[in-house]
Amino acid sequence: MKTIGVDVGGTFTDLVCCDMTSGQVVIHKVSTTPHDPSVGVMQGVKELCESAGAKPSEIAYVFHGTTTATNAVLENKIARTGMITNEGFRDIVHIGRHQRVEHYSIMQELPWQNRPPVARRYRKTVAGRLAPPDGRELIALDEAGVRRAAEELKAEGVEAVVICFLFSFLNSAHELRARAIVEEVMPEAFVTTSSFISPQFREFERFTTAALAASIGPKVERYIANLEAALSNLGIAGELRIMASNGGAATARMVTEKPALTLLSGLAAGVLGGAWVGDLAGRSDLITFDIGGTSADIGIIRGGRFAETDARSTSLAGFPLLMPMIDVHTIGAGGGSIAHIDRGGAFRVGPQSAGAVPGPAAYGRGGNEPTVTDANIVLGRLDPDNFLGGGMKLDAEAAHRVIAELAERLGLPIDEAAEGVLTVLNANMANAIRSRTVQKGIDPRGFALVAMGGAGPLHGAEVAAMLSIPEIIVPPYPGITSAIGLLTTDLKYDEVRTQFQTSQALDIDRLSRNFEEMEASLAARLRVDRVPDNAVGFLRSGDLRYVGQGYELKIDFPAGPTTPEAMAKVWRDFHDRHAEEYGHAFTASVIEIVNIRVTGIGALPKLPPQGASEGGSLAQAELRHNRCTFRIAGTLKMFDTPVYRRAALPVEIPFAGPAIVVQQDSTTVVPPGAEACVHPSGSIIITLGGRA
């Protein structure tokens, strides 16, 4: 059985084909087609099948990490969306909460006010009211009013409609009835409800999440439909699986129903790929560091488990989200990041990027601004003849020209300007890692940095040195790690119910019944996706806080019967987690369960463990020597640097930096003073200041 993983990035689309029986892996890269990413995807799939010698009919699964939803939100290229809500609550999605995003700024941007997913003129209100704590009906739904609102939205050319009523997380009846009426009036529109997208309390976040889901719904729906048709036309009858933000895969049908699942699709795959690589190398505390052409994505893995966002910090483009997501921090820093002098005369790198088109000057596609890629060429760290394994020749003359122009503006020699570009970029990335580690009480010196993406291995060692991280792991296919991460996951669906119970007055029967009902619902959904019952598993958790607190911490709940003994462990775990997060715990205080969660997991075929190829000797792996420039003790020095072919490197034979290692999907830089070694798992382990 063969599977394909496809991850769409800002500059390149990465692909991998794996024979799940033999473990044989074939990788491929094509340029991303920003006007329509599916064009690049299908070009890559076709070429990959040819390279792998695989017939399209042999492909059982296509796993896809897509940026369609994310880019639609970031670029505000969303559908014209309408909302139907309760009378008097038209402006919940405008007002937001009393907390300011930036406490002391009088000029801050509030995206839900500056670029709302639903313009005010498309927000309609109707009579009807439910009440806590059980969602009982106070005022009947005005069905005629819903119909009038739908007719008005249809006349105004609205493409998507979201229905958001107060307390629908307790009782979805009003939303479901309103949805049926809207679908009757507007059969061509994308229609969803807040209780379907995110059935939990906090109406501003729930309404905003549902509104974003509706606003990207038509685009995601079209993209998935076009992709399925294109795969079918190519002869691939295998099933399409889309990476979700929670670290699992979802069926195409599920994604078209809940498009918000894909809001951080590709980024989640990168963290999974990094975790897989680290596990094979025997490392469980990892910082995943994924640098592409446009951005750098940072994830934290502790004890083999990735960090997840919470209600305080889950957002995209400034919009709060109530969706399970892997915690990935993104900054505008990549190979295509443009070096420039800002209006205040400061030297900056990014966040503007040359992207895939025109790309860096070295790509020869019309780019004429200095980028990180151009600087790496000037410093000898990228070999113009071995980019993408020789599949793409770089224009070194163009790179030197744009960096020379930058150097003239800065009044520096060209090598100083080029090295300055890298220093600024590396400092930006190191600061981003500090914000996810040091500023959260995590010491990065106890972690290994997984340097991946097309540019991660180029910068990983120098960024790690800035943070005193002693070890860098370069995966076997660093530029394709996100695509590989797609082949390491399972189907993964989440259900949540708002609970509001306390440790002082806990109704265990109600809690147990809710868990069982949620598991039964998820099992039925996975059965529809043809997952055998023996391949289904469940994970329970809850959002807990001390009574009176405003936000929660996610705590695992044990499987099996919900007993007083099991709950006693949950309370202890919460105290411990609170102490870890905030430095203290109130062990005598009452704990409140706000939400309970169940994750249903349907096992899928996974990428078999990879091992290092036999290789040869260092002498046999050496291609040539390049003149490469590095900064040592504040002074730029040029080194005669060996360039090695990665596939030919011997296993467990260390080699000293400086060295350059080239392969099809990336280039690895081992700086002076560092030492590298190919691990039996296939990864290169770089150790700073010691043996690998």
Side-chain angles (χ1 to χ4, degrees):
M1 180 177 65
K2 293 181 172 64
T3 62
I4 287 177
V6 185
D7 179 63
V8 179
T11 304
F12 291 104
T13 293
D14 304 330
L15 304 101
V16 58
C17 178
C18 178
D19 186 318
M20 292 299 192
T21 304
S22 68
Q24 180 186 7
V25 168
V26 178
I27 65 172
H28 189 48
K29 269 182 179 281
V30 296
S31 293
T32 295
T33 48
H35 68 284
D36 182 357
S38 66
V39 174
V41 169
M42 292 314 303
Q43 176 194 342
V45 168
K46 183 178 179 181
E47 293 174 359
L48 179 64
C49 286
E50 293 171 355
S51 299
K55 297 177 182 177
S57 58
E58 295 177 321
I59 306 301
Y61 290 97
V62 175
F63 293 88
H64 183 31
T66 173
T67 56
T68 300
T70 308
N71 290 343
V73 175
L74 293 175
E75 299 169 9
N76 200 32
K77 294 179 179 178
I78 56 179
R80 181 177 296 180
T81 306
M83 173 183 284
I84 298 176
T85 190
N86 302 91
E87 283 185 340
F89 292 89
R90 180 185 189 186
D91 292 319
I92 278 181
V93 292
H94 178 88
I95 296 169
R97 295 198 170 273
H98 72 276
Q99 299 106 320
R100 297 170 65 84
V101 179
E102 299 174 34
H103 289 295
Y104 306 109
S105 172
I106 61 173
M107 299 293 289
Q108 63 183 295
E109 178 194 37
L110 299 177
W112 54 88
Q113 294 180 2
N114 295 347
R115 52 180 193 281
V118 183
R120 193 172 192 272
R121 61 183 176 277
Y122 301 135
R123 298 180 218 145
K124 310 294 182 179
T125 63
V126 298
R129 195 65 175 273
L130 304 173
D134 55 3
R136 68 186 185 279
E137 185 179 85
L138 292 183
I139 303 172
L141 178 66
D142 180 4
E143 296 189 8
V146 173
R147 189 173 297 276
R148 284 193 301 273
E151 290 169 347
E152 291 171 6
L153 292 173
K154 182 176 182 177
E156 290 166 332
V158 164
E159 301 173 71
V161 178
V162 60
I163 298 156
C164 303
F165 291 146
L166 296 178
F167 304 110
S168 63
F169 61 89
L170 297 173
N171 180 355
S172 61
H174 280 190
E175 286 194 351
L176 291 175
R177 179 59 189 142
R179 176 175 183 165
I181 295 170
V182 174
E183 288 177 335
E184 184 182 321
V185 175
M186 305 173 65
E188 73 289 345
F190 180 91
V191 186
T192 194
T193 67
S194 73
S195 58
F196 179 69
I197 297 297
S198 184
Q200 54 187 304
F201 97 118
R202 291 194 172 99
E203 66 276 2
F204 168 57
E205 289 83 357
R206 174 163 49 91
F207 284 17
T208 300
T209 302
L212 281 174
S215 70
I216 61 177
K219 180 170 283 191
V220 171
E221 197 171 47
R222 286 192 296 270
Y223 179 78
I224 297 299
N226 291 341
L227 187 58
E228 284 191 304
L231 290 170
S232 178
N233 291 338
L234 190 61
I236 294 178
E239 299 184 60
L240 177 63
R241 296 286 186 263
I242 309 298
M243 188 70 200
S245 310
N246 64 356
T251 62
R253 176 187 58 81
M254 178 60 69
V255 166
T256 55
E257 292 177 359
K258 284 189 175 182
L261 290 173
T262 64
L263 281 172
L264 288 177
S265 171
L267 308 190
V271 177
L272 294 181
W276 182 77
V277 165
D279 181 60
L280 292 180
R283 275 74 170 174
S284 59
D285 292 333
L286 307 163
I287 299 170
T288 62
F289 185 52
D290 187 353
I291 312 177
T294 305
S295 62
D297 307 318
I298 298 156
I300 306 296
I301 298 168
R302 304 177 73 182
R305 296 185 61 175
F306 50 75
E308 297 179 85
T309 58
D310 53 38
R312 294 168 296 168
S313 59
T314 308
S315 65
L316 178 65
F319 292 100
L321 295 170
L322 282 183
M323 297 289 292
M325 288 188 174
I326 291 181
D327 189 4
V328 183
H329 182 55
T330 301
I331 63 170
S337 293
I338 296 170
H340 63 283
I341 301 169
D342 68 15
R343 289 183 297 175
F347 179 36
R348 299 191 181 279
V349 181
Q352 302 93 331
S353 174
V357 180
Y363 284 9
R365 296 173 180 163
N368 55 13
E369 295 184 275
T371 69
V372 173
T373 295
D374 299 312
N376 273 307
I377 291 173
V378 169
L379 295 173
R381 303 185 190 187
L382 274 178
D383 191 333
D385 296 323
N386 275 290
F387 193 67
L388 298 185
M392 180 177 177
K393 185 171 176 59
L394 298 178
D395 187 344
E397 185 178 331
H400 279 80
R401 174 176 50 78
V402 294
I403 297 297
E405 292 170 356
L406 174 67
E408 186 177 350
R409 294 197 297 273
L410 293 170
L412 294 172
I414 185 171
D415 57 347
E416 287 280 0
E419 204 279 335
V421 171
L422 301 194
T423 297
V424 171
L425 182 87
N426 292 340
N428 290 343
M429 294 187 288
N431 285 335
I433 293 175
R434 285 191 188 96
S435 74
R436 314 310 291 177
T437 54
V438 176
Q439 293 179 20
K440 291 178 175 285
I442 299 171
D443 187 349
R445 293 173 296 182
F447 288 69
L449 185 76
V450 184
M452 55 194 189
L458 271 169
H459 300 268
E462 291 183 334
V463 172
M466 291 179 173
L467 297 161
S468 297
I469 295 173
E471 191 175 70
I472 302 93
I473 301 174
V474 181
Y477 307 103
I480 312 289
T481 304
S482 288
I484 284 178
L486 294 167
L487 306 186
T488 68
T489 189
D490 296 305
L491 281 180
K492 191 174 176 183
Y493 299 148
D494 296 284
E495 284 214 2
V496 58
R497 288 190 184 181
T498 294
Q499 194 75 8
F500 287 127
Q501 292 205 63
T502 68
S503 57
Q504 203 171 44
L506 182 66
D507 184 341
I508 284 186
D509 289 340
R510 175 189 164 203
L511 185 65
S512 181
R513 184 172 60 253
N514 282 336
F515 272 129
E516 290 169 2
E517 290 172 356
M518 294 162 74
E519 288 180 356
S521 172
L522 288 165
R525 191 183 306 171
L526 290 166
R527 211 169 288 124
V528 170
D529 294 337
R530 300 191 295 279
V531 179
D533 288 347
N534 61 3
V536 173
F538 302 100
L539 297 175
R540 295 178 176 181
S541 62
D543 300 332
L544 277 62
R545 64 188 182 187
Y546 292 119
V547 170
Q549 287 185 318
Y551 289 94
E552 306 80 47
L553 294 173
K554 185 178 177 182
I555 305 297
D556 291 338
F557 277 55
T562 305
T563 63
E565 293 75 20
M567 292 309 300
K569 183 179 185 309
V570 170
W571 309 139
R572 291 194 301 270
D573 289 347
F574 172 74
H575 291 309
D576 293 343
R577 177 78 177 86
H578 196 280
E580 179 184 340
E581 183 76 11
Y582 299 112
H584 58 269
F586 305 105
T587 54
S589 295
V590 178
I591 299 171
E592 183 177 37
I593 304 174
V594 177
N595 301 309
I596 57 172
R597 302 175 182 275
V598 176
T599 300
I601 299 172
L604 292 171
K606 293 184 180 61
L607 182 70
Q610 302 291 296
S613 58
E614 289 297 325
S617 65
L618 284 174
Q620 290 171 326
E622 189 175 299
L623 289 171
R624 68 177 66 83
H625 279 237
N626 282 357
R627 303 291 287 171
C628 299
T629 303
F630 295 90
R631 188 176 294 279
I632 305 297
T635 303
L636 285 187
K637 292 185 179 179
M638 187 172 288
F639 292 82
D640 186 41
T641 305
V643 178
Y644 296 114
R645 186 163 51 90
R646 177 161 184 172
L649 284 172
V651 180
E652 297 189 293
I653 302 296
F655 56 96
I660 306 293
V661 181
V662 296
Q663 61 188 103
Q664 179 182 348
D665 55 309
S666 188
T667 296
T668 300
V669 171
V670 183
E675 193 168 78
C677 179
V678 177
H679 188 271
S681 66
S683 292
I684 294 176
I685 309 292
I686 302 173
T687 303
L688 301 180
R691 294 187 62 83

